[in-house]
Amino acid sequence: MKTKDHWENVYTNKSSEEVSWFQSHSTKSLELINTTDLSFSTSLIDVGGGASVLVDDLIKLGYSNLQVLDLSSAALKTAQERLGEASKRVKWIEADIIGNNLKALKIDLWHDRAVFHFLTKKVERQKYVHNLTHALNKNGHVIIATFADDGPKKCSGLEICRYNKDTLAAELGERFVLVSHHKETHNTPFHTKQNFIYCHFMKVESDY
Ligand SMILES: C[S@@+](CC[C@H](N)C(=O)[O-])C[C@H]1O[C@@H](n2cnc3c(N)ncnc32)[C@H](O)[C@@H]1O
């Protein structure tokens, strides 16, 4: 099955609250976004945002330049319907994060929870980092959360790669400096535990 079909199936056949990655609030992500001290007009993208409520909380806090990108139109539709009128304040992008059409993005803060870890091939991770590097403004922030090296070996039934701060930093390369890292144990809706690592990076100045 193609990756897009997998995700369309998931979001068509399950409610957003019964998927293993469901959070009623993206508390750790919000904490880290808050530490950046960026203004509410900052350009923020949630890549692979799916039906996450992160965007709801960011709107409520006053962020006004928000984008959510996901491979699945069903996921984006769920989030849009939940938000109702407020969904008009968000730019929704149905796209593949490792696709070739992301160069027009001008982002100050890139957030990814549980997406990068699905990129099990080196060439996919290289494309992701290429897109991230081009999309992110100078001194931009990156928050990536993946399963930690003591986390589950699969997510949504798919193979994943697990990381610690050093292996994730190595994937991003020298253009990104690690600002902070945090472990989190996520409690799934079916009462299992998943260990995540959250890493906050900044893009160092370059002529890229
Ligand atoms: C495990 S879910 C996490 C969703 C959300 N970030 C959260 O924390 O609730 C992974 C999400 O990544 C999306 N996804 C997977 N591969 C992708 C890709 N190559 N490009 C864009 N989105 C992708 C899926 O559709 C899904 O919404």
Side-chain angles (χ1 to χ4, degrees):
M1 188 191 282
K2 280 193 187 159
T3 311
K4 179 172 170 61
D5 296 338
H6 170 85
W7 292 108
E8 295 294 11
N9 266 338
V10 168
Y11 286 107
T12 305
N13 296 316
K14 286 185 178 180
S15 89
S16 59
E17 298 185 6
E18 60 183 8
V19 292
S20 59
W21 53 94
F22 171 73
Q23 297 177 294
S24 53
H25 292 284
S26 311
T27 309
K28 181 59 72 186
S29 301
L30 290 167
E31 264 174 44
L32 291 175
I33 291 168
N34 192 38
T35 64
T36 64
D37 273 338
L38 289 167
S39 73
F40 288 137
S41 61
T42 204
S43 160
L44 192 159
I45 191 165
D46 189 14
V47 300
S52 166
V53 297
L54 174 63
V55 67
D56 306 41
D57 284 336
L58 291 171
I59 291 172
K60 281 185 203 139
L61 285 168
Y63 287 88
S64 58
N65 190 353
L66 298 171
Q67 306 186 44
V68 177
L69 178 150
D70 203 277
L71 204 47
S72 162
S73 59
L76 297 179
K77 190 162 169 260
T78 299
Q80 288 161 356
E81 286 177 355
R82 186 183 63 231
L83 278 162
E85 206 41 38
S87 72
K88 293 181 184 154
R89 299 198 224 157
V90 180
K91 184 172 176 197
W92 304 92
I93 306 169
E94 183 187 333
D96 189 333
I97 196 57
I98 57 172
N100 297 324
N101 52 350
L102 301 176
K103 287 177 189 155
L105 296 173
K106 295 272 175 234
I107 303 297
D108 297 313
L109 196 158
W110 173 288
H111 176 267
D112 165 344
R113 174 175 177 265
V115 187
F116 184 77
H117 68 196
F118 288 108
L119 306 178
T120 54
K121 298 190 184 113
K122 190 171 175 60
V123 64
E124 296 171 337
R125 296 193 292 275
Q126 285 171 336
K127 281 186 186 169
Y128 179 105
V129 174
H130 174 87
N131 285 342
L132 164 65
T133 308
H134 276 89
L136 202 66
N137 292 332
K138 199 162 88 176
N139 298 324
H141 297 261
V142 186
I143 296 167
I144 300 182
T146 69
F147 281 172
D149 47 15
D150 57 356
K153 292 185 177 151
K154 286 192 169 187
C155 183
S156 189
L158 302 175
E159 298 290 336
I160 54 102
C161 292
R162 301 181 295 178
Y163 293 94
N164 58 44
K165 68 175 174 53
D166 298 319
T167 53
L168 194 52
E171 291 291 343
L172 294 201
E174 289 176 356
R175 290 179 203 279
F176 297 87
V177 289
L178 184 65
V179 178
S180 67
H181 58 95
H182 313 263
K183 291 285 283 278
E184 183 192 57
T185 301
H186 167 63
N187 295 307
T188 70
F190 11 95
H191 310 295
T192 57
K193 292 184 187 303
Q194 300 179 329
N195 287 342
F196 274 78
I197 174 103
Y198 283 70
C199 290
H200 172 194
F201 298 92
M202 273 185 84
K203 184 179 165 190
V204 290
E205 283 189 39
S206 75
D207 55 0
Y208 201 61

